[in-house]
Amino acid sequence: MTAPVQVGPSPQGGGPDPSPALNLFPQHLELLRLSANGRSTPEIAEALFLSRHTVNDYWREIYRRLGAKNRENAVAIALVRGLVRPDEVELRAPRRRYESPKAGLTPRRTP
């Protein structure tokens, strides 16, 4: 792997961030960027030429280093701390997999 990226002071100002081990590798940052853009684990694995297992291992490491509880929390922390820039995130409505007509849930056709 390449050298980890040093994370600077926290956005609240003051000294260095008190959180433990915030050195993220470039692969971790790319994973955060792809996730911020709505990519799923299989899509991230394909884009980075990794196995799904490796992507999940990267997520565990990101959670540990950022002190995050889940992916959404990790992406939010990355945005607040400037690890992922807002101009790198494509804002769009969340994907809906199902519509709920009166009769019940039916699969939605995707274009």
Side-chain angles (χ1 to χ4, degrees):
M1 281 192 163
T2 57
V5 176
Q6 296 289 334
V7 178
S10 68
Q12 289 81 19
D17 191 81
S19 302
L22 291 180
N23 299 326
L24 294 176
F25 288 97
Q27 296 89 338
H28 296 149
L29 297 174
E30 185 61 25
L31 191 125
L32 284 164
R33 282 186 203 99
L34 290 170
S35 185
N37 284 302
R39 298 278 189 95
S40 66
T41 296
E43 292 169 333
I44 291 170
E46 185 178 330
L48 298 180
F49 303 102
L50 301 170
S51 73
R52 292 179 188 184
H53 179 73
T54 301
V55 170
N56 288 329
D57 285 345
Y58 280 4
W59 274 120
R60 279 190 284 280
E61 187 64 19
I62 289 169
Y63 297 159
R64 186 183 70 78
R65 291 178 185 222
L66 294 179
K69 296 177 183 170
N70 55 43
R71 290 182 189 203
E72 293 81 11
N73 187 226
V75 169
I77 291 169
L79 284 165
V80 168
R81 292 190 177 160
L83 300 172
V84 175
R85 294 188 324 259
D87 63 331
E88 297 174 325
V89 178
E90 175 187 324
L91 298 177
R92 61 182 177 170
R95 287 188 272 179
R96 287 183 27 202
R97 295 183 186 202
Y98 293 93
E99 294 177 351
S100 54
K102 291 180 184 179
L105 296 176
T106 57
R108 186 174 146 196
R109 293 184 184 197
T110 54

